[in-house]
Amino acid sequence: MRVAVVTAPEAVELREEPTPSLGPDEVLVEVGACGLCTMERRLYLGEKRFYPVAPGHEVAGRVAAVGAGVAELPGSPRVGETVTVDLLTRCGTCRPCRRGRSALCKRPQGGTLADGTVSFGAGLSDHVVVKAAQAYATGSAPIEHAAMGEPVACVLHSLRLGGLRAGDRVAVVGAGYMGRLHLAAARWRGAGPVGVIDVSETRLAEARDAGAAWTATPEEAVERGGKQDLVFVTAGAPGALETAVGLCDDGGTVVLYGAFPKDLSVGVIPDAIHHHELSIVGVYSQEPQDWREAAALIASGALAADLDALVTARFGLGDVAEALKLAATTPVYRVLVGGL
């Protein structure tokens, strides 16, 4: 089978790799689409220098084979079903896993290809093998929607840890792909007015078209949207935390979803957090319960229009280099690779 390997900044090649063998509790998935996210962009541009590497972790496809140990189990994926695939390894043994926080599993992530190349999902390929427990059926939903299972699961994890309740006033800092998914999922969950904050007027206009009750630049946010119960920071830019805290009403929560520069440090006034009972919550990745909800939500079609609007382009696996270049150098929502 073919698998895409990033070998250096702006250099990617397709390699031949043996089709993975199938264990008794695993399924073989023919990849129909794989989304390109921030990690792939950073690897391609050289911002994250780790070469050679086989990336791609936002995967969906058709089940091509099922291991003997799970073939007859009710609820296990069946040959021919479309599934969204959780490629995160969860050891189940480390302390975070035992506490139910498997998004923070201590086991190092990734694997290797046959030649020793490090794999960060290796979803930019013809096939992947995954534990049957980590393949979630998405019914008749389009493959483009199923490929968004991982980011949708991450967003549902964000809403869950943030404690979103129906009627909450919500602001989303960042109108990119993950910000738009937060907007869609929060509205589906029954949030009150959901506003979006960004520096791009184009992105703000698109957020309004997608249902944002109000939009604003960071400087205008309090005036435009007023105080909020929940503020999701999906773009970890300097100043974003300060903007979010300034938006919080008494008892409000700031959810730090987007990654910040690792050397960035900001000042927060502890007494204001104390007297106003503010919460600041960090959110990272996703967990099995988020996947179950994400797959069911995608299968239901409830977010179909929102997900359709977030597909910027699709490429076949043979054009993966062109896809990576587009995703890395042009403002996009999601570029998908595979299945053409």
Side-chain angles (χ1 to χ4, degrees):
M1 70 172 194
R2 299 168 300 166
V3 58
V5 176
V6 181
T7 57
E10 300 184 38
V12 59
E13 61 185 43
L14 280 175
R15 295 183 180 177
E16 285 297 323
E17 175 81 1
T19 300
S21 57
L22 192 63
D25 61 346
E26 295 177 327
V27 295
L28 176 69
V29 178
E30 179 184 0
V31 176
C34 178
L36 301 180
C37 82
T38 302
M39 184 179 76
E40 283 76 40
R41 181 185 67 80
R42 290 173 176 166
L43 287 167
Y44 182 79
L45 291 177
E47 295 173 2
K48 187 177 180 72
R49 291 180 174 267
F50 195 96
Y51 307 112
V53 61
H57 61 280
E58 297 182 3
V59 171
R62 183 185 64 86
V63 176
V66 178
V70 293
E72 303 302 323
L73 286 179
S76 183
R78 296 285 184 256
V79 171
E81 277 191 311
T82 298
V83 292
T84 185
V85 177
D86 175 11
L87 292 174
L88 187 70
T89 60
R90 307 172 194 273
C91 74
T93 303
C94 68
R95 187 169 297 278
C97 281
R98 289 182 183 273
R99 294 184 62 229
R101 303 298 295 271
S102 64
L104 304 173
C105 179
K106 295 292 187 183
R107 175 179 288 175
Q109 295 296 310
T112 58
L113 302 182
D115 64 0
T117 295
V118 171
S119 159
F120 286 169
L124 296 169
S125 60
D126 289 312
H127 295 87
V128 295
V129 164
V130 66
K131 298 287 186 184
Q134 292 180 223
Y136 299 87
T138 53
S140 60
I143 194 67
E144 293 89 350
H145 298 182
M148 298 186 191
E150 195 269 353
V152 171
C154 287
V155 169
L156 295 176
H157 185 68
S158 178
L159 270 55
R160 178 165 63 86
L161 268 61
L164 174 67
R165 294 174 294 186
D168 279 348
R169 299 163 296 172
V170 172
V172 179
V173 180
Y177 178 70
M178 300 311 301
R180 286 282 296 277
L181 283 181
H182 273 79
L183 167 64
R187 294 180 70 225
W188 170 74
R189 276 277 182 85
V194 182
V196 176
I197 301 161
D198 203 282
V199 296
S200 166
E201 290 296 340
T202 298
R203 288 284 172 96
L204 291 179
E206 291 168 347
R208 289 192 294 274
D209 290 341
W214 56 271
T215 61
T217 63
E219 297 76 19
E220 305 167 326
V222 175
E223 180 183 353
R224 289 277 184 91
K227 291 291 188 175
Q228 305 292 313
D229 301 308
L230 262 171
V231 184
F232 294 94
V233 180
T234 68
L241 174 58
E242 297 92 320
T243 295
V245 171
L247 275 166
C248 269
D249 205 347
D250 292 349
T253 298
V254 172
V255 178
L256 300 183
Y257 176 89
F260 283 79
K262 294 192 181 300
D263 58 351
L264 178 65
S265 129
V266 300
V268 177
I269 302 173
D271 191 63
I273 294 173
H274 161 68
H275 271 104
H276 297 282
E277 293 193 351
L278 304 183
S279 299
I280 299 177
V281 178
V283 169
Y284 177 78
S285 196
Q286 22 66 28
E287 291 167 348
Q289 70 185 90
D290 307 307
W291 273 99
R292 289 190 292 270
E293 186 176 4
L297 182 56
I298 290 169
S300 77
L303 296 185
D306 298 283
L307 302 184
D308 277 340
L310 294 174
V311 178
T312 299
R314 280 203 66 179
F315 292 84
L317 184 58
D319 296 317
V320 64
E322 184 181 351
L324 282 164
K325 182 177 181 179
L326 175 66
T329 61
T330 306
V332 297
Y333 288 113
R334 247 334 165 253
V335 174
L336 303 174
V337 176
L340 294 177

